[in-house]
Amino acid sequence: MDPLEPFREEVRIAARKAFAQMGADVSFEIEVPSTGIADFAVPCFPLAKKLRKAPPILAEEAAALIPPLDLVSKVWADKGYLNFQLNDSKLSVSTLEAIEAMKGSYGQGDLERKKVLLEHTSVNPTGPIHVGRARNPIIGDTLARCMRAYGYDVTTEYYVNDVGKQVVMLTWGLENIPAEDVPEVAGDKLDHRLVVYYQKANKMMESDPEVEKQVGQMLRRFEDGDEEVMGKVRKTAKLMLDGIIESLLSINVIIDQFTWESQFIKDGSAHRVVEELKRSEHCSEEKGACYLELKPFGIHGKETRFFFTRADGTTLYTTRDMAYHLDKFKRADRMINILGEDQKLGQAQLAIALKLLGQDRAPECVFYSFVSLPEGRMSTRKGTVVYLDDLIEEAEERALEEVRKRRTDLSEERMREIAKAIGRGAVRYNIVRVQPEKPLVFKWEDALNFEGNSAPFVQYAHARACSIQRKAGASVGAYDPASLTNDYELRLIRVLARYPSVIREAGEKARIQVLPAFGHELAAAFNQFYTYVPVLKGEENREARLALVDATRIVLANVLNTLGLSAPEEM
RNA sequence: GCACACGUGGCCUAGCUUGGAUAUGGCAGCAGCCUCCUAAGCUGCAAGUCGGGGGUUCGAAUCCCCCCGUGUGCGCCA
């Protein structure tokens, strides 16, 4: 239920009629002017060519042809635009009614419940998740929430890489490196305790040929399907994964299911992919290794061949990824992958190969740029990383300091709870507010920003609304939405009315960055209202204003929830 | 070398898909606002060659071409 829809429809019909009378039966856009000069605007520029008149004149003519409307209070022409101002009280009624009726599901669109499989995170289980990688689960989980808010049936999935050199090396390290050769680690989180073995094994590989030989042998046994080695590797991967899952949970990211890469070797599906690709006319081989020549498909670079087997006939990562995607196709209507920008070529190759396998579908990808540190890029191997766990801890500590500054009346436990909500929220918010494809340089002061365009700003507005309601006591009685007539009230209502459009854009077009922007706008509009319009202390309109506070609280909570942030009732 | 992405006030960022009205916010800076629903707030000021140059168009931050800078990729790795 979109409260703006009837208004948009009336504007559309009125403009179409007017244009028809002028002899221009053309299609046109209905915009929301960025300048805030009107509620809706129809640019008359497209008519100019057909009618051979200047747009400002056409806009004047059209404005004169539009009769008084039911939902629109004012129609006027300005600089080639046909502008519409909506009827305030009708808009208030439509908006507040929609919110009170739908509550937590306000924003939902009406679409059939399509099944969406959204793969995100999927980081190698060789170390704790660091803030560079953390962009992935935060984008993925937020998109999943936006799509659910819009009405999709979303399942999130983590593809666990338990195959290959990296995990084998980690496993070798755990078995062969004595504890005293590895730096001491604070805390008892397993991923942090284990990663030092991975780093040490990496260093030893570089300098010691014997180590390289041993790891190589282990890898060979693994590829030959040695049950013992495969079991061990899977076990270490699982240990690491549990640590990663715990970290994700701390930023409120919950993954619905896990698919293990080794599965596609065991069940033979990766092999079936190989057999089928071999039949392709684009397939050739070099010393027994099979590849597809992808130059005709627009792949550029030093190497345009796409290998899908080794010389010994074993499968490669990408081959298994194809088997994985064929499996995904059976399970969902829409597939979305959240991936680092380093995966772009791989995904292009995957899409072509899937086509050659006779598939007419391909996953939709959201690529994000890497997060770097001011001094350069992060690497688990080199140990130049900021771990997500450390960032969360620091964020919560800083938040706790801030809470202590402001509140002396709360119990220690309550303060910690609030600090958790704020710290974790700030981390998520500061990542989703920027477009995925923009490069991000990690700076502590940005990541822990608690003012202005930040999670606490939105959460604070929510806490203020709750506070008013707590003090008001009894629930809202009878009220007349039409009595909300001052600028602050009307501005706030106009923002509330836009929420369903924002969810549509975020959920359907995967443009999640519009949601934090909307949250900030809504919180700002409410803060102004809060500053200038007394609710409890004002004698007039108490009930209607309380209803507006309630509606705002509901929408702020929806925004926060959809961003994966908690909505504290006090701060 | 080739391909893809990014470049918007000191810093971060919206707008680019679908060209249109004075380019959106925030941080930092300056000046104000707490006897009044939590000042993580509010108000005002200052700050911009939209990387550079061409082109298309009545009109370009937005589309096209060239160039510059940054990032990423071009493994019988995952």
Side-chain angles (χ1 to χ4, degrees):
Chain A
M1 201 194 314
D2 182 344
L4 283 177
E5 195 44 42
F7 296 83
R8 213 180 275 124
E9 187 58 20
E10 192 177 79
V11 165
R12 189 179 298 130
I13 290 168
R16 190 185 296 137
K17 258 192 202 156
F19 292 162
Q21 282 178 54
M22 291 159 66
D25 204 7
V26 297
S27 67
F28 55 90
E29 295 286 316
I30 299 174
E31 301 177 350
V32 177
S34 56
T35 50
I37 203 166
D39 289 317
F40 288 122
V42 176
C44 298
F45 303 92
L47 312 191
K49 223 166 227 163
K50 185 148 190 172
L51 299 177
R52 296 163 150 250
K53 275 187 196 171
I57 297 169
L58 291 167
E60 292 288 353
E61 286 180 12
L65 283 169
I66 291 174
L69 297 170
D70 184 32
L71 304 176
V72 173
S73 56
K74 193 176 155 202
V75 181
W76 74 104
D78 188 21
K79 299 189 179 86
Y81 286 86
L82 185 56
N83 287 334
F84 297 83
Q85 192 182 73
L86 306 184
N87 180 300
D88 292 332
S89 57
K90 299 230 161 104
L91 182 62
S92 301
V93 172
S94 171
T95 305
L96 295 185
E97 274 181 359
I99 296 169
E100 290 300 339
M102 295 184 75
K103 300 256 197 301
S105 57
Y106 175 61
Q108 204 161 84
D110 25 46
L111 74 171
E112 342 112 63
R113 283 181 63 75
K114 279 197 174 162
K115 266 190 87 75
V116 175
L117 184 58
L118 196 156
E119 182 200 334
H120 71 76
T121 309
S122 304
V123 296
N124 278 359
T126 50
I129 194 157
H130 60 69
V131 303
R133 294 278 174 225
R135 207 170 182 179
N136 195 319
I138 293 173
I139 291 169
D141 186 67
T142 306
L143 179 56
R145 286 168 187 272
C146 287
M147 295 187 83
R148 284 185 190 123
Y150 185 54
Y152 284 103
D153 177 11
V154 181
T155 302
T156 55
E157 185 160 305
Y158 186 130
Y159 182 51
V160 190
N161 164 243
D162 60 337
V163 177
K165 198 170 176 180
Q166 309 303 316
V167 267
V168 166
M169 205 185 319
L170 168 67
T171 310
W172 179 89
L174 287 176
E175 282 190 338
N176 295 284
I177 300 170
E180 57 268 26
D181 284 9
V182 131
E184 220 164 294
V185 178
D188 49 28
K189 231 172 140 261
L190 265 181
D191 49 345
H192 291 266
R193 301 193 70 86
L194 299 187
V195 71
V196 288
Y197 290 88
Y198 175 69
Q199 286 160 341
K200 178 78 182 172
N202 256 293
K203 272 188 207 133
M204 291 170 76
M205 283 269 292
E206 279 168 24
S207 54
D208 189 343
E210 174 56 25
V211 173
E212 203 181 340
K213 205 174 116 195
Q214 283 186 30
V215 173
Q217 275 168 1
M218 200 166 168
L219 187 60
R220 172 54 44 95
R221 285 178 61 194
F222 183 99
E223 309 240 314
D224 290 345
D226 185 314
E227 293 277 339
E228 192 198 337
V229 178
M230 281 184 108
K232 267 195 249 176
V233 167
R234 169 108 179 210
K235 216 173 122 197
T236 41
K238 181 84 178 71
L239 290 175
M240 203 57 104
L241 188 62
D242 285 341
I244 292 169
I245 290 169
E246 201 186 318
S247 301
L248 292 175
L249 195 61
S250 78
I251 47 167
N252 202 19
V253 173
I254 296 154
I255 290 167
D256 298 324
Q257 59 197 29
F258 297 81
T259 295
W260 297 75
E261 188 180 340
S262 56
Q263 171 194 325
F264 300 102
I265 298 177
K266 285 187 194 142
D267 71 7
S269 57
H271 240 90
R272 285 196 292 278
V273 166
V274 170
E275 292 312 312
E276 215 163 305
L277 282 178
K278 277 184 179 169
R279 285 200 283 272
S280 163
E281 52 171 326
H282 298 92
C283 176
S284 310
E285 47 179 276
E286 182 180 76
K287 296 174 192 154
C290 300
Y291 65 88
L292 298 168
E293 177 54 64
L294 297 187
K295 212 172 200 164
F297 299 93
I299 297 293
H300 303 260
K302 292 177 201 158
E303 175 64 272
T304 56
R305 293 175 302 172
F306 173 52
F307 280 89
F308 60 93
T309 74
R310 294 196 182 88
D312 62 7
T314 55
T315 60
L316 290 157
Y317 171 82
T318 30
T319 327
R320 296 180 301 261
D321 207 16
M322 273 181 250
Y324 176 39
H325 277 88
L326 292 176
D327 178 61
K328 277 186 181 178
F329 287 159
K330 291 183 216 143
R331 296 192 275 141
D333 304 304
R334 248 181 109 170
M335 288 139 299
I336 298 173
N337 295 343
I338 314 295
L339 298 161
E341 59 179 338
D342 55 336
Q343 306 289 317
K344 274 188 186 173
L345 176 61
Q347 287 295 305
Q349 291 168 330
L350 176 76
I352 296 165
L354 287 170
K355 203 168 270 173
L356 293 176
L357 287 170
Q359 297 294 324
D360 55 354
R361 294 201 285 167
E364 302 165 50
C365 295
V366 174
F367 295 105
Y368 60 92
S369 289
F370 281 139
V371 181
S372 59
L373 296 168
E375 54 271 21
R377 61 173 299 183
M378 291 183 210
S379 156
T380 305
R381 248 183 313 163
K382 291 179 194 152
T384 55
V385 288
V386 174
Y387 290 123
L388 178 61
D389 294 323
D390 299 334
L391 172 60
I392 302 288
E393 202 187 310
E394 180 71 25
E396 282 175 18
E397 260 166 46
R398 294 243 196 137
L400 187 58
E401 260 173 59
E402 297 292 320
V403 177
R404 284 221 165 90
K405 254 192 251 169
R406 287 157 235 264
R407 303 297 294 263
T408 47
D409 56 320
L410 295 173
S411 68
E412 178 71 15
E413 200 196 343
R414 186 78 188 110
M415 284 198 284
R416 283 190 184 278
E417 244 173 73
I418 295 168
K420 232 179 204 182
I422 293 168
R424 296 166 174 203
V427 170
R428 280 186 73 130
Y429 190 101
N430 288 320
I431 287 183
V432 282
R433 53 173 259 268
V434 344
Q435 282 188 45
E437 57 269 24
K438 292 249 189 193
L440 206 62
V441 177
F442 176 82
K443 295 192 190 102
W444 284 99
E445 74 253 40
D446 293 342
L448 301 177
N449 172 30
F450 292 166
E451 283 171 346
N453 192 1
S454 71
F457 183 93
V458 184
Q459 290 171 319
Y460 185 58
H462 179 266
R464 279 178 145 180
C466 290
S467 172
I468 291 177
Q469 291 188 306
R470 253 195 319 275
K471 290 188 173 151
S475 61
V476 182
Y479 69 96
D480 178 12
S483 65
L484 298 166
T485 51
N486 74 51
D487 282 353
Y488 298 104
E489 293 161 343
L490 296 174
R491 276 215 293 264
L492 182 53
I493 288 165
R494 280 175 161 75
V495 179
L496 292 170
R498 270 178 31 228
Y499 183 62
S501 326
V502 170
I503 286 297
R504 189 194 315 133
E505 177 148 14
E508 204 171 36
K509 297 185 180 169
R511 286 166 45 80
I512 55 172
Q513 70 276 11
V514 299
L515 190 55
F518 175 82
H520 179 256
E521 204 183 328
L522 176 55
F526 180 68
N527 280 333
Q528 288 173 5
F529 166 81
Y530 182 94
T531 303
Y532 296 106
V533 184
V535 176
L536 302 175
K537 302 214 155 69
E539 283 78 52
E540 23 154 3
N541 280 341
R542 188 176 194 269
E543 297 307 307
R545 284 176 182 168
L546 275 173
L548 180 55
V549 170
D550 190 47
T552 307
R553 193 209 87 232
I554 291 169
V555 179
L556 281 170
N558 288 0
V559 170
L560 288 167
N561 182 39
T562 306
L563 286 170
L565 318 184
S566 52
E569 291 179 12
E570 58 180 346
M571 279 173 71

